[in-house]
Amino acid sequence: MSKEYIQIAFSFNDQDQFDILVAQLADLGFDGFNEEEAATGINNGVGMSSILGAEAGLGAGAGHCKAFMLASEYESTEIENKLEIIFNKHTLTYSKSIIKEQNWNAIWESNFDPVRVGDFVGIKAHFHPSFEPAVQYEIKITPKMSFGTGHHATTFSVMQLMEHMNFEGKRVYDFGTGTGVLAILAEKLGATKVLAVDNDDWCIENANENIKNNDSSVIMVQKVESAFQNDQFEVVLANVNRHIIEANMVELTQVALPASHLVLSGLLIEDQEDMIKLAANNGWIFIKAQPLNGWVSILFNR
């Protein structure tokens, strides 16, 4: 039996408003966003695991967006009251509809354009040709409903940080793996063990599919409810959102070996200082922030 999803459709006035709306809707539990720029018609469909294109990120102007949530997780009265508050504050309206799982997959597959992070890494679907000019690392992704195609600024900026990190021979923990794209990239960069985790069944299925399609051999996928693990790692990646990071910061620190690296993402730029303080309180040293289109990924060492 196919799943059903609640779709919320709305228009937005500019990129700043869009970014705020995505963060607010993600907090309500919406876990997929399909954006189309009004001026260009470019569709930047991205999925999400626990939160949430083109090389420079999503479009800067006005546009349209569809947000999705599993119908079984949509508590109608409470969520609709919160939606009214959110959209009234932005002086916007929205429409609601129900779509089937197979329609969702068609949306992502038809609108997924290749993404390249300079000459470092390119992300494409199986039906796209290889990148020209070539990139160092090429990853094949079938996004479906999972977060992590490289289109959104959060995933894109994490990969920008990863380009300058040493993964050779390292053990990597990818918390909130989504499509598995960061785990796959970590293996291509030389990691010898990667544990990729998520709390969503669809993401687990999709990550396993993408790992297989990229001939990855050192990645294990696991469903979890928190960042807790009995193992430890030299690199910890957490591309989720502020609330999940705050709730799991102790565990994200406990799974990290001495002299390890931590990357936090899924964060709005205004979250940066609070996240640096939170990490410092857990023994992490701020190294670098990688901002992009109102979002930021942050690298720490200890």
Side-chain angles (χ1 to χ4, degrees):
M1 181 178 179
S2 63
K3 298 176 183 177
E4 290 186 340
Y5 296 87
I6 300 296
Q7 171 186 286
I8 299 298
F10 59 93
S11 297
F12 55 90
N13 297 316
D14 53 47
Q15 182 63 40
D16 288 342
Q17 186 180 56
F18 173 75
D19 288 342
I20 293 169
L21 283 165
V22 166
Q24 291 174 325
L25 293 174
D27 283 343
L28 291 185
F30 286 89
D31 58 1
F33 296 86
N34 196 50
E35 181 224 9
E36 182 175 285
E37 298 172 35
T40 65
I42 294 174
N43 190 299
N44 292 306
V46 294
M48 300 168 54
S49 56
S50 298
I51 112 151
L52 308 142
E55 182 168 344
L58 299 174
H64 313 286
C65 182
K66 296 174 182 177
F68 302 88
M69 178 190 293
L70 270 173
S72 60
E73 297 177 0
Y74 187 87
E75 297 175 2
S76 182
T77 302
E78 181 180 356
I79 290 179
E80 287 180 5
N81 287 340
K82 292 180 179 178
L83 285 172
E84 289 296 330
I85 293 171
I86 289 171
F87 283 97
N88 284 340
K89 284 184 178 179
H90 291 278
T91 320
L92 298 174
T93 60
Y94 70 92
S95 62
K96 185 183 80 170
S97 57
I98 299 175
I99 65 168
K100 301 287 186 180
E101 182 177 59
Q102 60 268 26
N103 294 338
W104 172 278
N105 292 342
I107 290 172
W108 300 123
E109 292 178 10
S110 65
N111 292 307
F112 176 37
D113 294 323
V115 177
R116 64 181 299 147
V117 182
D119 295 326
F120 173 50
V121 59
I123 302 168
K124 68 184 190 69
H126 63 88
F127 49 80
H128 292 134
S130 294
F131 287 89
E132 290 293 341
V135 292
Q136 295 178 58
Y137 304 100
E138 192 170 283
I139 298 175
K140 297 188 291 289
I141 291 293
T142 302
K144 296 185 178 176
M145 278 196 62
S146 304
F147 175 56
T149 62
H151 288 88
H152 195 269
T154 55
T155 307
F156 193 96
S157 58
V158 172
M159 293 188 292
Q160 288 179 309
L161 289 175
M162 291 175 71
E163 181 177 6
H164 305 289
M165 296 170 62
N166 179 19
F167 285 82
E168 194 67 39
K170 300 293 178 65
R171 297 155 56 87
V172 178
Y173 185 42
D174 180 19
F175 177 63
T177 193
T179 62
V181 63
L182 299 180
I184 294 166
L185 179 57
E187 177 174 343
K188 289 181 178 292
L189 291 171
T192 53
K193 176 180 178 178
V194 182
L195 178 58
V197 305
D198 211 292
N199 68 344
D200 184 86
D201 289 329
W202 188 286
C203 293
I204 297 299
E205 178 184 338
N206 187 218
N208 276 314
E209 177 184 358
N210 291 322
I211 288 164
K212 180 180 179 181
N213 290 340
N214 284 275
D215 299 318
S216 300
S217 60
V218 304
I219 305 172
M220 182 174 71
V221 180
Q222 184 181 102
K223 184 178 179 181
V224 300
E225 296 302 326
S226 75
F228 175 80
Q229 291 289 330
N230 287 317
D231 206 352
Q232 289 187 300
F233 306 84
E234 285 101 347
V235 180
V236 177
L237 308 173
N239 184 20
V240 282
N241 65 35
R242 173 175 178 154
H243 301 303
I244 293 173
I245 289 170
E246 288 175 333
N248 288 273
M249 193 65 201
V250 172
E251 289 82 0
L252 289 170
T253 301
Q254 289 173 342
V255 300
L257 287 163
S260 55
H261 308 280
L262 170 68
V263 176
L264 301 180
S265 191
L267 302 168
L268 294 168
I269 193 70
E270 53 262 35
D271 296 329
Q272 179 174 321
E273 291 306 314
D274 287 342
M275 291 297 100
I276 290 174
K277 291 177 183 176
L278 176 64
N281 289 338
N282 284 270
W284 293 97
I285 300 169
F286 169 70
I287 300 299
K288 182 180 181 181
Q290 188 76 45
L292 182 62
N293 296 336
W295 300 83
V296 66
S297 295
I298 313 173
L299 173 64
F300 302 90
N301 289 353
R302 71 168 189 164

